[in-house]
PDB file of all heavy atoms in Angstrom:
ATOM      1  N   PRO C  17      11.925  12.147 -39.999  1.00  0.00           N
ATOM      2  CA  PRO C  17      12.828  11.353 -39.144  1.00  0.00           C
ATOM      3  C   PRO C  17      14.262  11.782 -39.275  1.00  0.00           C
ATOM      4  O   PRO C  17      15.121  11.352 -38.503  1.00  0.00           O
ATOM      5  CB  PRO C  17      12.600   9.927 -39.640  1.00  0.00           C
ATOM      6  CG  PRO C  17      12.177  10.081 -41.051  1.00  0.00           C
ATOM      7  CD  PRO C  17      11.375  11.353 -41.096  1.00  0.00           C
ATOM      8  N   ASN C  18      14.575  12.603 -40.275  1.00  0.00           N
ATOM      9  CA  ASN C  18      15.955  13.029 -40.510  1.00  0.00           C
ATOM     10  C   ASN C  18      16.376  14.142 -39.575  1.00  0.00           C
ATOM     11  O   ASN C  18      17.585  14.457 -39.488  1.00  0.00           O
ATOM     12  CB  ASN C  18      16.120  13.494 -41.966  1.00  0.00           C
ATOM     13  CG  ASN C  18      15.880  12.374 -42.936  1.00  0.00           C
ATOM     14  OD1 ASN C  18      16.237  11.235 -42.668  1.00  0.00           O
ATOM     15  ND2 ASN C  18      15.272  12.696 -44.069  1.00  0.00           N
ATOM     16  N   LEU C  19      15.461  14.771 -38.883  1.00  0.00           N
ATOM     17  CA  LEU C  19      15.789  15.865 -37.969  1.00  0.00           C
ATOM     18  C   LEU C  19      16.068  15.277 -36.599  1.00  0.00           C
ATOM     19  O   LEU C  19      15.231  14.622 -36.030  1.00  0.00           O
ATOM     20  CB  LEU C  19      14.606  16.852 -37.891  1.00  0.00           C
ATOM     21  CG  LEU C  19      14.887  18.138 -37.074  1.00  0.00           C
ATOM     22  CD1 LEU C  19      15.975  18.959 -37.759  1.00  0.00           C
ATOM     23  CD2 LEU C  19      13.631  18.962 -36.934  1.00  0.00           C
ATOM     24  N   CYS C  20      17.271  15.539 -36.090  1.00  0.00           N
ATOM     25  CA  CYS C  20      17.643  14.913 -34.816  1.00  0.00           C
ATOM     26  C   CYS C  20      18.082  15.964 -33.835  1.00  0.00           C
ATOM     27  O   CYS C  20      18.423  17.088 -34.203  1.00  0.00           O
ATOM     28  CB  CYS C  20      18.745  13.871 -35.035  1.00  0.00           C
ATOM     29  SG  CYS C  20      20.267  14.591 -35.683  1.00  0.00           S
ATOM     30  N   VAL C  21      18.109  15.602 -32.572  1.00  0.00           N
ATOM     31  CA  VAL C  21      18.526  16.500 -31.490  1.00  0.00           C
ATOM     32  C   VAL C  21      20.041  16.427 -31.376  1.00  0.00           C
ATOM     33  O   VAL C  21      20.635  15.374 -31.428  1.00  0.00           O
ATOM     34  CB  VAL C  21      17.894  16.103 -30.141  1.00  0.00           C
ATOM     35  CG1 VAL C  21      18.358  17.009 -29.041  1.00  0.00           C
ATOM     36  CG2 VAL C  21      16.399  16.126 -30.289  1.00  0.00           C
ATOM     37  N   ILE C  22      20.705  17.607 -31.231  1.00  0.00           N
ATOM     38  CA  ILE C  22      22.143  17.642 -31.058  1.00  0.00           C
ATOM     39  C   ILE C  22      22.527  17.040 -29.758  1.00  0.00           C
ATOM     40  O   ILE C  22      21.954  17.357 -28.714  1.00  0.00           O
ATOM     41  CB  ILE C  22      22.649  19.117 -31.153  1.00  0.00           C
ATOM     42  CG1 ILE C  22      22.294  19.697 -32.525  1.00  0.00           C
ATOM     43  CG2 ILE C  22      24.132  19.172 -30.929  1.00  0.00           C
ATOM     44  CD1 ILE C  22      22.653  21.146 -32.663  1.00  0.00           C
ATOM     45  N   SER C  23      23.514  16.172 -29.750  1.00  0.00           N
ATOM     46  CA  SER C  23      23.951  15.509 -28.526  1.00  0.00           C
ATOM     47  C   SER C  23      24.900  16.438 -27.792  1.00  0.00           C
ATOM     48  O   SER C  23      25.662  17.172 -28.362  1.00  0.00           O
ATOM     49  CB  SER C  23      24.677  14.211 -28.853  1.00  0.00           C
ATOM     50  OG  SER C  23      25.253  13.663 -27.687  1.00  0.00           O
ATOM     51  N   GLY C  24      24.846  16.355 -26.469  1.00  0.00           N
ATOM     52  CA  GLY C  24      25.740  17.164 -25.633  1.00  0.00           C
ATOM     53  C   GLY C  24      27.085  16.531 -25.423  1.00  0.00           C
ATOM     54  O   GLY C  24      27.954  17.093 -24.779  1.00  0.00           O
ATOM     55  N   GLY C  25      27.319  15.340 -25.923  1.00  0.00           N
ATOM     56  CA  GLY C  25      28.593  14.680 -25.748  1.00  0.00           C
ATOM     57  C   GLY C  25      28.534  13.555 -24.743  1.00  0.00           C
ATOM     58  O   GLY C  25      27.457  13.144 -24.284  1.00  0.00           O
ATOM     59  N   THR C  26      29.682  13.065 -24.331  1.00  0.00           N
ATOM     60  CA  THR C  26      29.779  11.947 -23.394  1.00  0.00           C
ATOM     61  C   THR C  26      29.111  12.296 -22.068  1.00  0.00           C
ATOM     62  O   THR C  26      29.379  13.347 -21.495  1.00  0.00           O
ATOM     63  CB  THR C  26      31.246  11.573 -23.158  1.00  0.00           C
ATOM     64  OG1 THR C  26      31.856  11.320 -24.420  1.00  0.00           O
ATOM     65  CG2 THR C  26      31.345  10.331 -22.275  1.00  0.00           C
ATOM     66  N   GLY C  27      28.292  11.411 -21.578  1.00  0.00           N
ATOM     67  CA  GLY C  27      27.690  11.614 -20.266  1.00  0.00           C
ATOM     68  C   GLY C  27      26.433  12.436 -20.302  1.00  0.00           C
ATOM     69  O   GLY C  27      25.840  12.674 -19.261  1.00  0.00           O
ATOM     70  N   THR C  28      26.029  12.960 -21.477  1.00  0.00           N
ATOM     71  CA  THR C  28      24.844  13.771 -21.581  1.00  0.00           C
ATOM     72  C   THR C  28      23.794  13.064 -22.426  1.00  0.00           C
ATOM     73  O   THR C  28      24.098  12.502 -23.463  1.00  0.00           O
ATOM     74  CB  THR C  28      25.177  15.136 -22.246  1.00  0.00           C
ATOM     75  OG1 THR C  28      26.225  15.765 -21.504  1.00  0.00           O
ATOM     76  CG2 THR C  28      23.970  16.033 -22.272  1.00  0.00           C
ATOM     77  N   LYS C  29      22.561  13.048 -21.949  1.00  0.00           N
ATOM     78  CA  LYS C  29      21.510  12.377 -22.686  1.00  0.00           C
ATOM     79  C   LYS C  29      20.231  13.172 -22.584  1.00  0.00           C
ATOM     80  O   LYS C  29      20.026  13.946 -21.656  1.00  0.00           O
ATOM     81  CB  LYS C  29      21.317  10.945 -22.207  1.00  0.00           C
ATOM     82  CG  LYS C  29      20.915  10.888 -20.728  1.00  0.00           C
ATOM     83  CD  LYS C  29      20.776   9.438 -20.279  1.00  0.00           C
ATOM     84  CE  LYS C  29      20.408   9.347 -18.802  1.00  0.00           C
ATOM     85  NZ  LYS C  29      20.255   7.951 -18.364  1.00  0.00           N
ATOM     86  N   VAL C  30      19.365  12.989 -23.541  1.00  0.00           N
ATOM     87  CA  VAL C  30      18.063  13.646 -23.541  1.00  0.00           C
ATOM     88  C   VAL C  30      17.047  12.659 -22.947  1.00  0.00           C
ATOM     89  O   VAL C  30      16.925  11.552 -23.413  1.00  0.00           O
ATOM     90  CB  VAL C  30      17.636  14.025 -24.972  1.00  0.00           C
ATOM     91  CG1 VAL C  30      16.294  14.746 -24.933  1.00  0.00           C
ATOM     92  CG2 VAL C  30      18.697  14.912 -25.606  1.00  0.00           C
ATOM     93  N   GLU C  31      16.359  13.075 -21.925  1.00  0.00           N
ATOM     94  CA  GLU C  31      15.414  12.201 -21.237  1.00  0.00           C
ATOM     95  C   GLU C  31      13.980  12.612 -21.531  1.00  0.00           C
ATOM     96  O   GLU C  31      13.168  12.820 -20.647  1.00  0.00           O
ATOM     97  CB  GLU C  31      15.698  12.266 -19.728  1.00  0.00           C
ATOM     98  CG  GLU C  31      17.090  11.783 -19.339  1.00  0.00           C
ATOM     99  CD  GLU C  31      17.365  11.914 -17.878  1.00  0.00           C
ATOM    100  OE1 GLU C  31      16.552  12.565 -17.189  1.00  0.00           O
ATOM    101  OE2 GLU C  31      18.407  11.420 -17.419  1.00  0.00           O
ATOM    102  N   TYR C  32      13.674  12.723 -22.801  1.00  0.00           N
ATOM    103  CA  TYR C  32      12.303  13.121 -23.181  1.00  0.00           C
ATOM    104  C   TYR C  32      11.542  11.937 -23.706  1.00  0.00           C
ATOM    105  O   TYR C  32      12.042  11.100 -24.431  1.00  0.00           O
ATOM    106  CB  TYR C  32      12.372  14.217 -24.259  1.00  0.00           C
ATOM    107  CG  TYR C  32      12.712  15.577 -23.708  1.00  0.00           C
ATOM    108  CD1 TYR C  32      14.040  16.021 -23.688  1.00  0.00           C
ATOM    109  CD2 TYR C  32      11.709  16.397 -23.198  1.00  0.00           C
ATOM    110  CE1 TYR C  32      14.349  17.257 -23.168  1.00  0.00           C
ATOM    111  CE2 TYR C  32      12.003  17.619 -22.682  1.00  0.00           C
ATOM    112  CZ  TYR C  32      13.325  18.056 -22.661  1.00  0.00           C
ATOM    113  OH  TYR C  32      13.633  19.278 -22.122  1.00  0.00           O
ATOM    114  N   THR C  33      10.274  11.909 -23.339  1.00  0.00           N
ATOM    115  CA  THR C  33       9.404  10.865 -23.850  1.00  0.00           C
ATOM    116  C   THR C  33       8.986  11.181 -25.273  1.00  0.00           C
ATOM    117  O   THR C  33       8.643  10.281 -26.034  1.00  0.00           O
ATOM    118  CB  THR C  33       8.142  10.719 -22.963  1.00  0.00           C
ATOM    119  OG1 THR C  33       7.471  11.993 -22.893  1.00  0.00           O
ATOM    120  CG2 THR C  33       8.518  10.295 -21.545  1.00  0.00           C
TER     121      THR C  33
END
Side-chain angles (χ1 to χ4, degrees):
N18 297 324
L19 187 64
C20 63
V21 179
I22 298 175
S23 172
T26 305
T28 304
K29 59 182 179 179
V30 182
E31 299 176 351
Y32 282 93
T33 56

